[in-house]
Amino acid sequence: MDTFQVIVLALIQGLTEFLPISSSAHLILPSQLLGWEDQGLSFDVAVNTGSLLAVVIYFRLELWSMFKAWTDSIITRKQTDESKLSWWIILATIPAVIVGFTAKEFIETYLRNTAVIATTTIVFGLLLWWADRMFRPGFTEFQVGWKKALVIGLAQAMALIPGTSRSGATITAALMLGLSREAAARFSFLMSVPVSLGAAILVTKDLLSSGLAIDYEALSLGIIVSFAAAYTCIHLFLKLIARIGMTPFVVYRLVLGAILCAFMFA
């Protein structure tokens, strides 16, 4: 890849990873519009690493507090708000791990196509709009409980279907369960850490065993651009979400879904 491709693809990954607009839907567009070939396994590792670093650094204080509280809860058996949140994040991660291991090949073989991504982009966009408009928010992330955490985790597992959007599915489920917009977004972002870390480890393992040549200059640039885009995205999203709601992202998803449909029938 040339420098322009690296920057564009890293920006797409960084910006769409945490917004409820589906990164997989956007990653189809360069190939459809510009005829670009697949960016390759090593680049996937790089941009995912950049996004993971962004969420870890942004929430570093919360994550450290949660980790300390979680380890203390194992030793002392005493639970705090932070330790409970940690356990709920762990519980919410389990469905995605199970579905990822059991259905990965099926998803990649049969569901990673424009028709599926266009459909899920539109359908789950409408679900996000319904959840944002119809449910009364009230809970914070510290009031989730294990039942709500499991439901949100199931939504995250469903987001393995391309076009669904991991953040979109989890925020939708959280809103339906009564979380505020800010709490839904924070819980979704915290949930991304173990899932992204696990995915990065698995993809890195595949990369090391593939014997592919690695362009370290392109990968370094991809990590930096993806990190900067993701960090900025997280910050602005949390600042603005209470005021703007989910409607702008819903409209965007509907337009994007319509564009993908146009490509199918062109």
Side-chain angles (χ1 to χ4, degrees):
M1 292 185 295
D2 59 32
T3 301
F4 178 72
Q5 287 177 278
V6 170
I7 292 174
V8 169
L9 292 173
L11 279 173
I12 290 174
Q13 168 65 26
L15 291 174
T16 60
E17 179 68 23
F18 298 109
L19 292 178
I21 55 177
S22 174
S23 59
S24 56
H26 286 78
L27 289 173
I28 279 185
L29 292 178
S31 62
Q32 293 281 358
L33 293 173
L34 304 173
W36 292 357
E37 295 182 0
D38 184 83
Q39 61 268 27
L41 193 58
S42 59
F43 190 77
D44 286 343
V45 173
V47 293
N48 284 327
T49 299
S51 298
L52 175 60
L53 286 173
V55 72
V56 168
I57 292 174
Y58 191 90
F59 289 102
R60 60 192 181 280
L61 298 179
E62 291 90 338
L63 289 169
W64 178 243
S65 178
M66 288 168 60
F67 177 74
K68 289 194 297 182
W70 178 72
T71 54
D72 287 343
S73 73
I74 295 175
I75 298 170
T76 65
R77 304 286 181 174
K78 293 181 180 179
Q79 299 290 342
T80 64
D81 286 344
E82 286 81 8
S83 67
K84 290 177 183 177
L85 180 58
S86 301
W87 284 112
W88 296 336
I89 294 293
I90 293 170
L91 177 63
T93 303
I94 294 174
V97 173
I98 294 173
V99 174
F101 274 108
T102 58
K104 180 175 181 290
E105 185 175 342
F106 176 84
I107 291 171
E108 291 184 349
T109 302
Y110 298 104
L111 301 183
R112 200 169 184 81
N113 58 69
T114 306
V116 170
I117 293 174
T119 301
T120 52
T121 297
I122 293 171
V123 170
F124 283 92
L126 293 172
L127 280 175
L128 177 62
W129 172 81
W130 182 60
D132 193 43
R133 293 291 298 271
M134 299 302 293
F135 291 85
R136 294 179 177 273
F139 298 116
T140 70
E141 65 268 32
F142 294 106
Q143 298 171 295
V144 168
W146 72 268
K147 291 180 181 178
K148 290 184 177 67
L150 185 57
V151 172
I152 299 171
L154 292 171
Q156 180 170 249
M158 187 181 298
L160 291 171
I161 301 172
T164 302
S165 170
R166 192 207 63 82
S167 60
T170 53
I171 290 173
T172 297
L175 290 172
M176 289 181 177
L177 293 169
L179 273 71
S180 67
R181 290 169 177 166
E182 303 94 317
R186 285 194 297 268
F187 194 79
S188 173
F189 293 157
L190 291 171
M191 283 176 66
S192 73
V193 174
V195 169
S196 297
L197 180 59
I201 292 172
L202 290 176
V203 176
T204 300
K205 177 177 173 290
D206 292 341
L207 174 63
L208 294 175
S209 62
S210 68
L212 296 173
I214 299 175
D215 183 348
Y216 289 102
E217 184 177 342
L219 297 193
S220 299
L221 179 59
I223 291 174
I224 293 169
V225 173
S226 176
F227 169 82
Y231 192 94
T232 303
C233 174
I234 294 169
H235 178 72
L236 293 177
F237 187 78
L238 290 175
K239 285 281 188 183
L240 297 174
I241 194 60
R243 286 187 298 170
I244 66 175
M246 298 296 169
T247 301
F249 304 104
V250 172
V251 172
Y252 184 87
R253 286 183 70 122
L254 296 179
V255 172
L256 179 60
I259 291 173
L260 292 175
C261 287
F263 280 129
M264 286 192 299
F265 297 108

